[in-house]
Amino acid sequence: ETGVTQSPTHLIKTRGQQVTLRCSSQSGHNTVSWYQQALGQGPQFIFQYYREEENGRGNFPPRFSGLQFPNYSSELNVNALELDDSALYLCASSLDLAGVTDTQYFGPGTRLTVL
Amino acid sequence: AQSVSQHNHHVILSEAASLELGCNYSYGGTVNLFWYVQYPGQHLQLLLKYFSGDPLVKGIKGFEAEFIKSKFSFNLRKPSVQWSDTAEYFCAVISGGSNYKLTFGKGTLLTVNP
């Protein structure tokens, strides 16, 4: 296990609704990244937070937003859900800015289904 | 924009066979390269990584990968696979131009038959 937890495990929503997914990073990890993994695809980078500020963003619209809290927890919020948002959402934490020298530790993911 | 290609969608081997999974990336500058593995029912976890130095990188469970800059490749190898290696394998890259964005390939499902 990686020490990164996510909740809930599964979630079903309808189109147009809003959803909040939660992640708890390893203690001391200042960076959290969120990824979307559609069926049969590799994870796609949504955004990264470092010390509670957004540090970078992938090709996702503004209705995808996030928060990172001082207690090493974070949230991914998605507004106005669309059918294509159905996917596994992964969070990953790392000690410092990911990709320089540090490893990203992934959580088990939240499976979101939009009907 | 950086991209990663994994050539094989599904590889099926018998135990003790040798493994090589292909990975090519598109970025021409400095890159950091990774292989992640996802065993059935488990978290995505790091298998090995290349940042600099020796282009032959050794990871956990007997896996290794070779960075060939001229071919933009980072292929994963194991001389003798085991049934427990059945998993999905993802190649990923972080380029020098976007040091926070990990770009993954689509993954290769490896099935090892006993």
Side-chain angles (χ1 to χ4, degrees), chain A:
Chain A
E1 299 304 319
T2 62
V4 180
T5 59
Q6 292 186 244
S7 63
T9 307
H10 296 90
L11 201 52
I12 300 174
K13 291 284 189 179
T14 56
R15 198 168 46 180
Q17 284 189 309
Q18 178 266 342
V19 69
T20 297
L21 310 181
R22 293 180 173 83
C23 172
S24 180
S25 302
Q26 283 194 27
S27 180
H29 280 195
N30 295 310
T31 302
V32 64
S33 303
W34 285 89
Y35 295 84
Q36 181 195 67
Q37 187 176 12
L39 208 58
Q41 303 292 318
Q44 275 201 292
F45 177 78
I46 303 175
F47 45 56
Q48 181 183 83
Y49 279 77
Y50 175 66
R51 296 184 186 268
E52 301 163 48
E53 300 219 353
E54 187 177 295
N55 184 57
R57 191 176 185 92
N59 295 328
F60 281 82
R63 59 188 185 86
F64 286 78
S65 63
L67 287 171
Q68 185 187 24
F69 303 102
N71 65 350
Y72 306 110
S73 67
S74 57
E75 292 179 353
L76 164 65
N77 297 289
V78 187
N79 293 324
L81 283 167
E82 300 177 0
L83 297 178
D84 285 348
D85 295 334
S86 294
L88 181 68
Y89 288 85
L90 300 168
C91 76
S93 75
S94 54
L95 187 61
D96 215 315
L97 287 173
V100 179
T101 59
D102 201 34
T103 298
Q104 295 191 40
Y105 295 90
F106 283 82
T110 293
R111 173 74 61 188
L112 173 65
T113 301
V114 182
L115 302 176

Side-chain angles (χ1 to χ4, degrees), chain A residues 1-2 4 35 37 40-43 45 48 55-57 98-101 103-104 106-108, chain B residues 9 32 34 36 38 43-46 49 51 88 90 94 99-107:
Chain A
E1 299 304 319
T2 62
V4 180
Y35 295 84
Q37 187 176 12
Q41 303 292 318
F45 177 78
Q48 181 183 83
N55 184 57
R57 191 176 185 92
V100 179
T101 59
T103 298
Q104 295 191 40
F106 283 82
Chain B
H9 179 63
N32 297 325
F34 307 78
Y36 279 84
Q38 189 165 31
H43 302 188
L44 202 60
Q45 59 185 280
L46 183 69
K49 60 185 178 184
F51 284 147
E88 188 146 24
F90 293 93
I94 294 178
N99 61 355
Y100 47 79
K101 179 183 173 182
L102 195 59
T103 299
F104 285 85
K106 291 187 176 182

Side-chain angles (χ1 to χ4, degrees), chain B residues 14-26:
Chain B
S14 299
E15 276 194 317
S18 64
L19 170 72
E20 181 160 3
L21 300 182
C23 172
N24 286 91
Y25 62 92
S26 64

Side-chain angles (χ1 to χ4, degrees), chain B residues 57-76:
Chain B
V57 180
K58 296 194 184 298
I60 60 172
K61 304 187 179 185
F63 285 91
E64 65 178 31
E66 185 175 12
F67 170 50
I68 303 179
K69 189 174 181 179
S70 61
K71 294 185 178 180
F72 299 90
S73 70
F74 190 57
N75 292 353
L76 181 71

